Amino acid sequence: MNQLNLPPYAIRVKEENGRKQIFDFLRRRYVALTPEEWVRQHFVHFLVECKGYPKGLLGNEIELRVGEKKLRCDTLLYNKELQPQMIVEYKAPDIEITQRVFNQITAYNMLLHVPYLIVSNGMQHYCCQMDYASRRYTFLRDIPDYNSL
């Protein structure tokens, strides 16, 4: 897998039935090792180990429903009252982050109305802080530490 623009961590990978799997410490199980999953696992570890995000307030592959349609948020951060606070959308490292990716995370946010949105392909990371009162958003220079949210 690709070297990412994220700190390394103690990766746990295994092979089962000829397919590589990576351990997801949030879901507490091995999942298929895809390029997007490689980014997700590195990014979640970065949030927990470097930015102080509580592991217990993060969830991977969270299902949302819009009528009959099902959507999946790659990662959600909840506050202590278990209200969504941040949506993180991942792409594989070779996928360019375009307006289409921002449109995808915006569709999720139309349901959740979170204060923060992050998009990452493991090489580039974008974080927006939403201001619903003025109907604006601001790109932040860095991913905020948990204590500053």
Side-chain angles (χ1 to χ4, degrees):
M1 287 286 160
N2 296 7
Q3 178 70 31
L4 302 176
N5 184 19
L6 290 163
Y9 75 96
I11 301 164
R12 292 169 50 191
V13 175
K14 72 176 186 175
E15 193 167 314
E16 190 171 293
N17 300 324
R19 294 196 172 133
K20 288 192 176 186
Q21 297 184 330
I22 190 166
F23 188 74
D24 181 336
F25 79 126
L26 296 183
R27 291 181 272 184
R28 297 184 189 119
R29 63 183 172 92
Y30 282 89
V31 297
L33 177 53
T34 63
E36 184 178 307
E37 193 62 45
W38 183 252
V39 172
R40 179 194 338 264
Q41 293 308 314
H42 278 79
F43 203 90
V44 171
H45 279 270
F46 163 70
L47 291 176
V48 172
E49 295 169 11
C50 300
K51 295 292 184 173
Y53 286 59
K55 178 180 156 182
L57 295 179
L58 289 163
N60 284 337
E61 293 287 323
I62 304 301
E63 186 177 286
L64 304 175
R65 289 180 178 253
V66 181
E68 295 295 314
K69 188 174 182 179
K70 293 180 186 179
L71 304 172
R72 267 192 207 282
C73 287
D74 287 337
T75 299
L76 275 180
L77 170 71
Y78 298 92
N79 63 16
K80 291 177 182 163
E81 291 78 37
L82 299 181
Q83 299 163 325
Q85 294 301 296
M86 179 183 287
I87 303 169
V88 187
E89 178 63 29
Y90 308 106
K91 296 298 176 194
D94 62 329
I95 303 296
E96 185 180 352
I97 296 177
T98 63
Q99 185 61 49
R100 189 175 185 180
V101 178
F102 284 101
N103 292 348
Q104 181 181 2
I105 199 169
T106 300
Y108 301 154
N109 198 36
M110 291 178 78
L111 298 170
L112 298 175
H113 302 281
V114 299
Y116 297 93
L117 303 174
I118 296 177
V119 174
S120 176
N121 65 3
M123 304 306 290
Q124 297 176 297
H125 324 293
Y126 298 95
C127 182
C128 298
Q129 184 173 14
M130 306 303 293
D131 180 349
Y132 294 102
S134 65
R135 303 180 86 168
R136 301 174 70 160
Y137 58 88
T138 304
F139 279 97
L140 304 179
R141 293 171 89 66
D142 195 14
I143 309 299
D145 291 337
Y146 178 76
N147 290 333
S148 68
L149 297 180

